[in-house]
Amino acid sequence: MSTYHQSVFTNSGNARVGTQIGHLSGGLHQGAAPALGDLPALLTAAHRRGDIDTETLTAAEQDLETARTATADGQVRTALRRLNGLVGDVAGIGTAVAAILAAAGGGAA
């Protein structure tokens, strides 16, 4: 016997909404995985909102470019870790960077 429960959340501002599961049998998928190509627009939007300053935006764009053009996996992960350090606490961007970093085998640390 399986049980299905759907919850609808409405948030405002930069609230983070996640999923709490006591027991999961089977798989769970939430939305599409982010890609490096999604990050420039997220960074620009965060800058426009005032969530990150110009210096942080510039540094984040440099780390993103390094991640895009790196020739070794270690360089990609290092650039993504730096980027995560810069914007990891910014709603919408931090989770995307962490997901990309995890997919690159670098964890979220």
Side-chain angles (χ1 to χ4, degrees):
M1 180 174 144
S2 62
T3 302
Y4 176 77
H5 176 75
Q6 179 179 1
S7 297
V8 177
F9 297 98
T10 303
N11 72 25
S12 61
N14 293 323
R16 294 183 185 198
V17 178
T19 303
Q20 274 189 321
I21 299 173
H23 176 75
L24 176 66
S25 177
L28 174 67
H29 177 75
Q30 291 184 277
L36 279 177
D38 299 333
L39 295 179
L42 293 174
L43 289 168
T44 301
H47 183 253
R48 260 192 254 120
R49 287 191 310 266
D51 293 342
I52 58 174
D53 59 24
T54 302
E55 293 79 15
T56 302
L57 174 64
T58 301
E61 289 172 335
Q62 290 171 350
D63 287 338
L64 182 56
E65 184 61 21
T66 299
R68 283 182 177 177
T69 59
T71 56
D73 289 344
Q75 292 172 326
V76 172
R77 287 189 297 268
T78 298
L80 289 172
R81 284 185 185 117
R82 278 196 309 262
L83 181 59
N84 194 44
L86 288 169
V87 297
D89 62 343
V90 178
I93 301 175
T95 53
V97 173
I100 295 167
L101 181 55

